[in-house]
Amino acid sequence: MTVNPQQVISNLEELRALTGDANGAQRLAWSPSWLKAQRWFETKTDDLPVERHYDSAGNLWTTLHGESPRALLLGSHLDSVPNGGWLDGCLGTLAALEVLRGISAEYKNKPPVTVRLVDWADEEGARFGRSLFGSSAFAGTYTIAADRGRIDRDGTCLEDALKQCGFDIDRIGDAQKERANAAAYLELHIEQGPVLEKMGLPLGVVLGTKGVERHAITFLGQEAHSGSTPMAVRRDALAAAAKLALEIRPIARKHADSVATMGSVKTFPGIVTAVVGRCEATLDMRDLDAVVLVQMFEEAAAASERFAAEENCSVEWSRIWSIEPIPFHPELIELCDTAIRETAGASHRLPSGPLHDAAEVSRAGIPTVMMFTQSLNGLSHNKAEDTKKEHLALAVEAFARLAAKTMRWIEDRL
Amino acid sequence: MTVNPQQVISNLEELRALTGDANGAQRLAWSPSWLKAQRWFETKTDDLPVERHYDSAGNLWTTLHGESPRALLLGSHLDSVPNGGWLDGCLGTLAALEVLRGISAEYKNKPPVTVRLVDWADEEGARFGRSLFGSSAFAGTYTIAADRGRIDRDGTCLEDALKQCGFDIDRIGDAQKERANAAAYLELHIEQGPVLEKMGLPLGVVLGTKGVERHAITFLGQEAHSGSTPMAVRRDALAAAAKLALEIRPIARKHADSVATMGSVKTFPGIVTAVVGRCEATLDMRDLDAVVLVQMFEEAAAASERFAAEENCSVEWSRIWSIEPIPFHPELIELCDTAIRETAGASHRLPSGPLHDAAEVSRAGIPTVMMFTQSLNGLSHNKAEDTKKEHLALAVEAFARLAAKTMRWIEDRL
């Protein structure tokens, strides 16, 4: 199969001009700009013998029917965070488009297996705080009751935003029909981290997505006057939180790929002249190993109790969200590793800290793997997000190789 | 001189009923409720042979002329923070009123020295962030250019709020005229801290107000994805701030009465899924010894540089405000100590962490001392603020003794 990586880069630039501004990509899900991106994307397959439709959750499916109904799925998402980068999501969608074109040409419009391109709806969850929206509907892990009333900053609720785009939230589960005949799922994405860049590698195989434990932690002490309250009698909630902010680091560093992050700290009353009486913090811990993740959570919880006691405070934990680690398919991991080595000479296997639609697909029991391409400076979700052009080209070529190998893998199992 | 402490308590309760609600005292300076409190207070001296007027900064002066024009000043403030306590400020004003009554009766309206009661305008600065407004005008340390445009949460500026009460901000310096013939200044206040309560003492002598170094500190690291950024490559601005939040405590504890407080921490972007790229903190350090205060500031600044370097961050400091320590008059401190011992049996000398109008009076070169009475649980600036009735009674009696001794001290120096 022949692919033209320059065409992918050219499409990425066209999409940026169409739906970005000086602050970056502006394809917030369920917004006019996102709809425009989808319509633009549709036109890119007008000359192919494909069937196109939106499923009931807003995912856009483009199907090239093959000899077998068993299908190779290629996908990613066109939606972006506000002021997002030019690659997150759309690189995967547009690389998949180029691979679909390559397969169509290679097999004169009738490949041995069916190939389906999916553009997932609302991967980012940037507007309503519900990420992986479309892929979770597909996977059957959707949560209508919890999500219906989610509101954006303008007061619009998710249910109404869907309605404005022509979708009925009570019907999103119908997207599960698209799982019929799915044999494998492949997704290309930028790493969004610094690992491949530090190793000097353009590409890597993703072993799976890390499990996440996400918690809100509140330390309660006693608000007191900063001038009149001796140090010895203070019950400083910030001090307890500060100890935990530092302690989560050695807890995570015990394990090779673990991460633990205190991303938000809020102080109350939060004024220069008062000892902090209440401190609200968030903790986000991730690992690919479920046992390690539980151990980290338990160690952090125990440490917080110890620090609260030391500072004469109390502490309360509330789980915001959690997900188990989702390992990808071992045989597809090998295929991906080989495709990368054949293209770039060297590969690296790494877990993904961020979640991706691939995690939902894998949860649905469909053999899945992802490929990462290097991110410059590990930056993402802002306009500084970038990847070298030669790495983008290698990524498209390696992804095409992976698709070809996976088609054969599906054929072998027919 | 005879005073009736129950009258003070009864006046405090009357004022609370007049200008408070279920959430506490509501005598925000330059508000209708504060003006009502001042008018009520005026009526309390209608039966005395006094002269009353407001100076150009809104301070209310009630003068009982004596044989000598040399004047003993007694004062405090009727204004409160929103949802304030029933004692902060008004205890001092109403105790001074009772002492003025006692002196008037004792000397049949003609004491040997003039006695002046002052109700300072806007001590709290709760509405415009400018505390000690009236007393700084009196002391000549006012700052019209910096204060004119200060706005409250409704968008009203200080200049206009003054105008609505009949005062011209460009004329506030005329309040310095009131310094003529001032020989000494006495102020009674609740401690607003836990020291006297912990010692089991009803009353204490205030040695002076601590100097304050108040700074905004910003640590700059690198915002990064909580899932994709390995621990080893993070530049976590919160970690640097957390180290400083803990380090200021041993820095302060080297000295008996020093305090250091990180009262506010703000994290940016401040979301659960991002390593903190920028952390803004405030630091408030206080001591009665200027040398100690400078040492603390320098140690904290050096520590912040060290922590920033350890976390691969940078740090910037910006002074919000500072004031030098203001020691009270040594002879008046002795008189106050004696007055307390004669009244309550035991005394204690302590610095004041909070600032008070007495600091401004002392800066103007007028011999000054303050007396503290115990606060329950060290609480202030909220409706839980309280002091035992028997301690309030002892405070009024001791303050009257101090006034009598200070009148004699002034006479001795005529």
Side-chain angles (χ1 to χ4, degrees):
Chain A
M1 164 191 358
T2 307
V3 287
N4 178 2
Q6 292 313 314
Q7 184 60 49
V8 176
I9 293 170
S10 150
N11 279 342
L12 284 165
E13 286 168 346
E14 199 178 315
L15 181 62
R16 172 156 66 176
L18 189 72
T19 57
D21 62 20
N23 296 315
Q26 307 293 354
R27 292 184 300 276
L28 198 61
W30 319 109
S31 75
S33 176
W34 175 63
L35 296 174
K36 183 159 67 169
Q38 288 189 314
R39 300 297 172 267
W40 169 86
F41 182 71
E42 285 187 56
T43 66
K44 294 292 175 184
T45 55
D46 279 346
D47 62 334
L48 290 176
V50 295
E51 179 274 322
R52 276 196 311 251
H53 71 275
Y54 289 87
D55 69 22
S56 65
N59 304 308
L60 170 57
W61 294 90
T62 305
T63 302
L64 175 66
H65 289 285
E67 301 289 346
S68 164
R70 294 291 290 166
L72 168 64
L73 312 187
L74 310 172
S76 186
H77 60 96
L78 288 174
D79 75 303
S80 78
V81 297
N83 306 322
W86 75 300
L87 298 170
D88 183 356
C90 54
L91 168 64
T93 311
L94 294 170
L97 169 66
E98 182 60 20
V99 170
L100 184 74
R101 290 195 155 277
I103 292 170
S104 182
E106 174 86 5
Y107 295 101
K108 300 196 167 38
N109 300 336
K110 198 69 176 179
V113 301
T114 295
V115 182
R116 305 188 71 196
L117 203 167
V118 55
D119 171 44
W120 300 110
D122 202 356
E123 191 268 355
E124 298 287 3
R127 183 165 163 200
F128 293 100
R130 202 313 174 191
S131 57
L132 309 183
F133 179 85
S135 53
S136 70
F138 169 86
T141 56
Y142 55 94
T143 47
I144 296 172
D147 297 335
R148 186 192 301 279
R150 288 178 179 266
I151 56 167
D152 67 8
R153 62 177 59 193
D154 299 324
T156 303
C157 74
L158 178 56
E159 177 172 9
D160 290 340
L162 289 182
K163 200 172 288 170
Q164 285 161 21
C165 294
F167 300 100
D168 174 356
I169 195 166
D170 290 309
R171 299 280 309 281
I172 63 172
D174 292 352
Q176 293 178 84
K177 291 178 195 160
E178 307 293 339
R179 269 153 49 189
N181 283 312
Y185 175 74
L186 307 176
E187 184 173 337
L188 172 67
H189 207 281
I190 52 168
E191 182 198 333
Q192 303 178 277
V195 173
L196 293 173
E197 186 182 38
K198 296 248 175 229
M199 299 180 77
L201 294 175
L203 300 167
V205 189
V206 185
L207 294 167
T209 57
K210 293 179 181 178
V212 181
E213 284 282 354
R214 194 173 288 168
H215 296 262
I217 307 166
T218 301
F219 290 96
L220 281 172
Q222 174 64 57
E223 175 186 341
H225 193 293
S226 68
S228 64
T229 312
M231 301 306 287
V233 304
R234 296 183 174 201
R235 300 173 54 204
D236 184 349
L238 174 62
K243 287 179 175 179
L244 185 63
L246 297 172
E247 185 69 11
I248 58 171
R249 306 191 309 165
I251 288 174
R253 283 178 171 151
K254 287 181 193 169
H255 315 285
D257 287 320
S258 298
V259 285
T261 306
M262 191 175 282
S264 168
V265 168
K266 291 180 182 163
T267 49
F268 300 89
I271 56 175
V272 66
T273 53
V275 176
V276 175
R278 186 169 97 249
C279 186
E280 298 177 357
T282 63
L283 181 59
D284 178 282
M285 290 178 295
R286 308 194 189 203
D287 197 83
L288 191 57
D289 182 327
V291 174
V292 166
L293 191 58
V294 167
Q295 182 185 334
M296 284 169 62
F297 166 64
E298 288 176 351
E299 286 180 11
S304 76
E305 294 285 352
R306 192 166 72 246
F307 299 143
E310 287 172 8
E311 300 299 330
N312 202 13
C313 294
S314 62
V315 63
E316 285 173 13
W317 285 60
S318 162
R319 178 174 273 113
I320 297 170
W321 185 72
S322 66
I323 190 171
E324 71 280 12
I326 299 171
F328 290 150
H329 194 278
E331 294 178 30
L332 295 190
I333 287 172
E334 295 304 325
L335 294 187
C336 187
D337 196 64
T338 306
I340 291 173
R341 284 177 200 284
E342 288 172 3
T343 310
S347 176
H348 177 66
R349 296 170 186 228
L350 71 168
S352 174
L355 280 164
H356 294 283
D357 292 309
E360 290 291 359
V361 180
S362 186
R363 284 171 106 183
I366 299 166
T368 295
V369 75
M370 287 184 75
M371 183 183 291
F372 273 169
T373 186
Q374 190 188 105
S375 288
L376 289 173
N377 302 309
L379 295 177
S380 183
H381 282 193
N382 66 63
K383 66 175 179 179
E385 171 187 288
D386 205 6
T387 295
K388 288 180 187 162
K389 294 271 165 65
E390 60 263 37
H391 290 172
L392 293 176
L394 286 170
V396 175
E397 286 178 6
F399 194 63
R401 273 207 173 84
L402 172 59
K405 289 178 194 298
T406 308
M407 285 172 72
R408 286 194 291 277
W409 181 79
I410 295 170
E411 278 188 276
D412 290 346
R413 304 173 86 200
L414 285 177
Chain B
M1 168 195 347
T2 307
V3 287
N4 178 2
Q6 292 313 314
Q7 184 60 49
V8 176
I9 293 169
S10 150
N11 278 341
L12 283 166
E13 287 168 344
E14 198 177 316
L15 181 62
R16 171 157 66 176
L18 189 72
T19 57
D21 61 22
N23 297 314
Q26 308 294 353
R27 292 183 302 276
L28 197 60
W30 319 108
S31 76
S33 177
W34 175 62
L35 296 174
K36 182 158 70 168
Q38 288 189 315
R39 300 298 170 268
W40 168 86
F41 182 72
E42 286 188 56
T43 66
K44 294 293 175 183
T45 55
D46 278 347
D47 63 332
L48 291 176
V50 293
E51 179 272 325
R52 276 196 312 251
H53 71 274
Y54 289 87
D55 69 22
S56 64
N59 304 307
L60 171 57
W61 294 90
T62 305
T63 302
L64 176 67
H65 289 285
E67 302 289 345
S68 164
R70 293 290 290 166
L72 167 64
L73 312 186
L74 310 172
S76 186
H77 60 95
L78 288 174
D79 75 303
S80 78
V81 297
N83 305 322
W86 76 299
L87 298 170
D88 182 356
C90 55
L91 168 63
T93 312
L94 294 170
L97 169 66
E98 182 61 19
V99 170
L100 184 75
R101 290 196 154 279
I103 291 169
S104 183
E106 173 86 5
Y107 295 101
K108 302 198 166 38
N109 300 336
K110 199 69 177 177
V113 301
T114 295
V115 182
R116 305 190 70 198
L117 203 169
V118 56
D119 170 45
W120 300 110
D122 201 356
E123 191 268 352
E124 298 286 3
R127 183 166 163 199
F128 293 99
R130 202 313 174 194
S131 59
L132 310 183
F133 179 86
S135 54
S136 69
F138 169 86
T141 57
Y142 55 93
T143 47
I144 295 172
D147 297 335
R148 183 193 304 279
R150 288 178 180 268
I151 56 167
D152 67 9
R153 62 177 57 192
D154 298 325
T156 303
C157 74
L158 178 57
E159 178 172 8
D160 289 341
L162 288 182
K163 203 173 287 171
Q164 284 161 20
C165 294
F167 299 101
D168 174 355
I169 195 167
D170 291 307
R171 297 281 311 280
I172 62 172
D174 292 354
Q176 294 178 84
K177 290 179 194 159
E178 306 294 338
R179 268 150 54 187
N181 283 313
Y185 175 74
L186 307 176
E187 183 174 338
L188 172 68
H189 207 280
I190 53 169
E191 182 198 334
Q192 303 178 276
V195 173
L196 293 173
E197 187 183 37
K198 295 247 175 228
M199 299 180 77
L201 294 175
L203 301 168
V205 189
V206 186
L207 295 167
T209 56
K210 292 179 181 178
V212 181
E213 284 282 355
R214 193 172 290 169
H215 296 261
I217 307 167
T218 301
F219 289 96
L220 281 172
Q222 175 64 58
E223 175 184 342
H225 194 291
S226 68
S228 64
T229 312
M231 302 305 287
V233 304
R234 296 184 174 200
R235 299 172 54 202
D236 184 347
L238 174 62
K243 287 180 174 178
L244 186 63
L246 298 172
E247 184 68 13
I248 58 171
R249 307 190 310 165
I251 288 173
R253 282 178 172 152
K254 287 181 194 170
H255 315 284
D257 287 320
S258 297
V259 286
T261 306
M262 191 175 281
S264 168
V265 168
K266 291 180 181 162
T267 49
F268 301 89
I271 56 175
V272 67
T273 53
V275 176
V276 176
R278 187 168 96 250
C279 187
E280 297 178 356
T282 63
L283 181 59
D284 179 282
M285 290 178 293
R286 307 193 190 204
D287 197 84
L288 191 57
D289 182 329
V291 174
V292 165
L293 190 57
V294 167
Q295 183 186 333
M296 286 168 61
F297 167 63
E298 287 175 352
E299 286 180 11
S304 75
E305 294 285 352
R306 192 165 73 245
F307 299 144
E310 286 172 9
E311 301 298 330
N312 202 13
C313 294
S314 62
V315 62
E316 284 173 14
W317 284 61
S318 161
R319 178 174 272 112
I320 298 170
W321 184 73
S322 67
I323 190 171
E324 72 280 11
I326 299 171
F328 291 149
H329 194 279
E331 292 178 32
L332 295 191
I333 287 171
E334 294 305 323
L335 294 187
C336 186
D337 195 65
T338 305
I340 291 173
R341 285 177 199 283
E342 287 172 3
T343 309
S347 176
H348 176 65
R349 296 170 186 227
L350 73 167
S352 173
L355 282 163
H356 294 283
D357 293 309
E360 290 291 359
V361 180
S362 186
R363 283 171 108 184
I366 298 165
T368 294
V369 76
M370 287 183 76
M371 181 183 291
F372 273 169
T373 185
Q374 191 190 105
S375 288
L376 289 172
N377 303 309
L379 294 177
S380 183
H381 283 193
N382 66 63
K383 68 176 179 179
E385 170 187 288
D386 205 7
T387 295
K388 288 180 187 161
K389 293 273 167 62
E390 60 262 38
H391 291 171
L392 293 176
L394 286 171
V396 174
E397 286 179 5
F399 194 64
R401 275 208 172 83
L402 171 60
K405 289 179 194 296
T406 308
M407 287 173 71
R408 284 194 292 278
W409 181 80
I410 295 170
E411 278 188 275
D412 290 345
R413 302 172 86 203
L414 286 176

